[in-house]
Amino acid sequence: MKIWLDGGLQDTESARVSVFDHGLTVGDGVFETVKAVDGRPFALTRHLDRLTRSARGLGLPDPDHDEVRRACAAVLDANPAPLGRLRITYTGGHGPLGSDRGEHGPTLVVALGETTRRPDSTAVITVPWTRNERGALSGLKTTSYAENVVALARAREQGASEALFGNTVGQLCEGTGSNVFVVLDGEIHTPPLASGCLAGITRALAAEWTGAKETDLPLDVLERADEVFLTSTLRDVQAVHRVDGRELPGAPGPVTAKAMRIFDERAGHDLDP
Ligand code: PLP
């Protein structure tokens, strides 16, 4: 397996990053997960734009999009796979112990992992912890993901594949690695970015292609929504058949099934929408 590091391809087994890299010591980094189908990345331009937005949010230098594109192409060429997940990690680089940044430049790593096609529906839980929609990292895709790791572990313990967060004012926000949509009286709604959710790329495409509305939603909307679905790079559009103890029989329901069809069709036609 080959990864991209320090400007070129390296063997995964021998590639080395400083043990004082700030991505490791203080979670000072940003990342993207990009789906690759038959060796071609999906929506790479949107991912690069978000990588830059996240980097700016942390005060990191802008990533060089040409280099990241070259890195993705080289990693995909070196590791052929019908379906893969490219992981672009961009950190503050080697620095002093503590939170001050050093003089060293950023670290860029591009790696390819495996993924499988999503099941059509899944179970989710809600967690009692909140996303801070006014926090410094709100809406940034940073490597400080430990909160998501903890919430996802709780979901797994309960036989679910995703955990959903509310925000500090009790509104529905997002999952550990996905955005959430609900169907109410035939209309599709998703929380606005002001809820503190990530500007998911699948969220934006699904909302545009289905006409979903951005709406402030109380967390307990999940107790009465007719249908619920998730969006993410690796799930695409995925129906939810259980939220906590509430079953949603027949998921995907008609509105979600249509959204899934529309998404698959549009995404299949345009690799960089
Ligand atoms: N929200 C969070 C916290 C995420 O980490 C992700 C993706 O990993 C998403 C939402 C979905 O975003 P995208 O559709 O760009 O994958």
Side-chain angles (χ1 to χ4, degrees):
M1 180 65 88
K2 300 272 190 196
I3 63 155
W4 182 278
L5 173 68
D6 289 340
L9 284 178
Q10 300 195 23
D11 285 324
T12 312
E13 292 72 29
S14 53
R16 291 283 173 268
V17 173
S18 163
V19 292
F20 296 127
D21 192 285
H22 267 204
L24 174 68
T25 55
V26 290
D28 182 27
V30 297
F31 77 102
E32 285 295 322
T33 297
V34 183
K35 186 171 58 171
V37 185
D38 294 327
R40 295 159 73 195
F42 177 70
L44 186 56
T45 303
R46 287 178 185 255
H47 283 285
L48 293 178
D49 288 346
R50 188 172 64 188
L51 186 73
T52 298
R53 286 202 306 278
S54 298
R56 286 182 183 172
L58 291 194
L60 293 171
D62 283 1
D64 176 348
H65 285 197
D66 289 339
E67 183 188 358
V68 184
R69 280 183 188 279
R70 258 187 291 121
C72 291
V75 168
L76 287 169
D77 268 3
N79 307 286
L83 188 62
R85 53 190 291 176
L86 274 171
R87 161 79 188 217
I88 303 166
T89 309
Y90 183 71
T91 79
H94 175 96
L97 282 174
S99 299
D100 286 315
R101 288 223 175 91
E103 299 301 310
H104 206 273
T107 302
L108 170 68
V109 182
V110 178
L112 187 73
E114 286 175 4
T115 185
T116 48
R117 234 188 111 66
R118 53 143 210 256
D120 274 356
S121 76
T122 194
V124 305
I125 63 163
T126 53
V127 285
W129 311 302
T130 52
R131 282 276 196 256
N132 181 359
E133 70 282 5
R134 286 167 294 137
L137 304 186
S138 177
L140 307 180
K141 200 164 167 68
T142 76
T143 54
S144 303
Y145 250 45
E147 187 172 63
N148 293 318
V149 173
V150 171
L152 186 58
R154 173 157 307 185
R156 299 279 191 220
E157 279 163 23
Q158 298 184 25
S161 79
E162 182 58 305
L164 300 179
F165 290 87
N167 64 15
T168 65
V169 291
Q171 293 166 334
L172 180 62
C173 184
E174 65 176 345
T176 67
S178 63
N179 293 103
V180 58
F181 289 68
V182 297
V183 179
L184 299 167
D185 296 326
E187 283 197 331
I188 309 177
H189 302 267
T190 193
L193 298 183
S195 71
C197 68
L198 184 76
I201 287 162
T202 325
R203 169 189 179 277
L205 294 172
E208 185 188 324
W209 293 342
T210 64
K213 293 188 176 132
E214 290 192 340
T215 311
D216 287 329
L217 300 160
L219 188 58
D220 67 10
V221 73
L222 295 170
E223 293 166 19
R224 55 192 154 80
D226 302 318
E227 300 176 34
V228 179
F229 64 85
L230 306 176
T231 60
S232 83
T233 291
L234 300 180
R235 295 174 192 267
D236 297 326
V237 176
Q238 185 181 42
V240 170
H241 62 244
R242 176 161 52 87
V243 184
D244 296 323
R246 181 184 175 216
E247 301 287 339
L248 290 150
V255 178
T256 305
K258 188 170 169 196
M260 291 164 88
R261 260 198 321 277
I262 293 173
F263 188 87
D264 286 348
E265 261 171 45
R266 297 282 293 256
H269 279 107
D270 186 356
L271 267 180
D272 209 5

